[in-house]
Amino acid sequence: MTLKRISVALLACLTLSACGGVDPNSPLGQRKAIFKQMLKTGEDLGGMLRGRIPFDGAKFADGAVKLDALSHEPWKHFPQVREEDHTSAKDDVWQRQARFQEMARTLEAATGELVIASQVQPYKASNLGPAVQKVEDACSACHKEFRDH
């Protein structure tokens, strides 16, 4: 086989392997993007409180508002019936919809409380820490109950 044929075959394999991604416009793609934004924002807030990132009160408050807005978004991208695409969501998301929605509201309430805590000045870890922990706990509880991994 010539170098040209090998190169074409390799390029074809690489191109086909890239097709396995999630359509960003699909419900799965949209909620994954939101969850990634939530994770990044939450990690930054936690990082500021834990000393991994320098604390900046204004950035923290902006991040809390952003996280609160994001926390209301992913739920509308869960279709009524489980999609065929591979997803991290357990079947329980669709089978126990009332509980899933209850946990979504718990997260939304926790992010709302974080926004309120982030408006109290001077900024104190003793005020912000419990609010961030409540958000993290809400995320973790839902993941344990409704996420595959």
Side-chain angles (χ1 to χ4, degrees):
M1 214 183 242
T2 66
L3 181 60
K4 186 176 179 181
R5 285 185 181 177
I6 292 172
S7 297
V8 169
L10 181 60
L11 181 61
C13 288
L14 290 173
T15 302
L16 288 174
S17 68
C19 293
V22 175
D23 175 3
N25 295 317
S26 70
L28 176 60
Q30 290 178 352
R31 69 180 186 255
K32 282 183 118 178
I34 294 166
F35 284 135
K36 284 181 183 179
Q37 290 175 34
M38 289 173 67
L39 178 63
K40 169 73 171 111
T41 303
E43 285 179 342
D44 287 349
L45 297 176
M48 282 189 217
L49 288 180
R50 294 175 182 105
R52 187 176 46 81
I53 299 172
F55 186 84
D56 180 321
K59 284 185 181 178
F60 189 95
D62 288 346
V65 169
K66 179 180 179 182
L67 187 60
D68 184 48
L70 287 168
S71 76
H72 292 26
E73 294 300 311
W75 324 117
K76 61 186 169 190
H77 299 291
F78 281 90
Q80 294 297 315
V81 178
R82 183 183 175 111
E83 59 265 272
E84 295 297 317
D85 294 331
H86 175 68
T87 171
S88 298
K90 292 180 180 179
D91 288 337
D92 284 356
V93 167
W94 292 273
Q95 295 169 358
R96 298 176 47 227
Q97 193 56 208
R99 175 68 176 150
F100 182 68
Q101 291 300 323
E102 175 188 339
M103 294 189 93
R105 300 302 80 79
T106 299
L107 174 64
E108 293 169 354
T111 59
E113 290 173 22
L114 177 60
V115 169
I116 292 167
S118 71
Q119 295 170 347
V120 176
Q121 294 191 21
Y123 296 110
K124 294 180 182 177
S126 60
N127 291 341
L128 299 172
V132 168
Q133 189 62 53
K134 193 169 186 178
V135 170
E136 291 172 351
D137 290 347
C139 289
S140 178
C142 192
H143 285 190
K144 286 178 184 172
E145 204 164 326
F146 291 106
R147 191 167 184 223
D148 249 346
H149 57 280

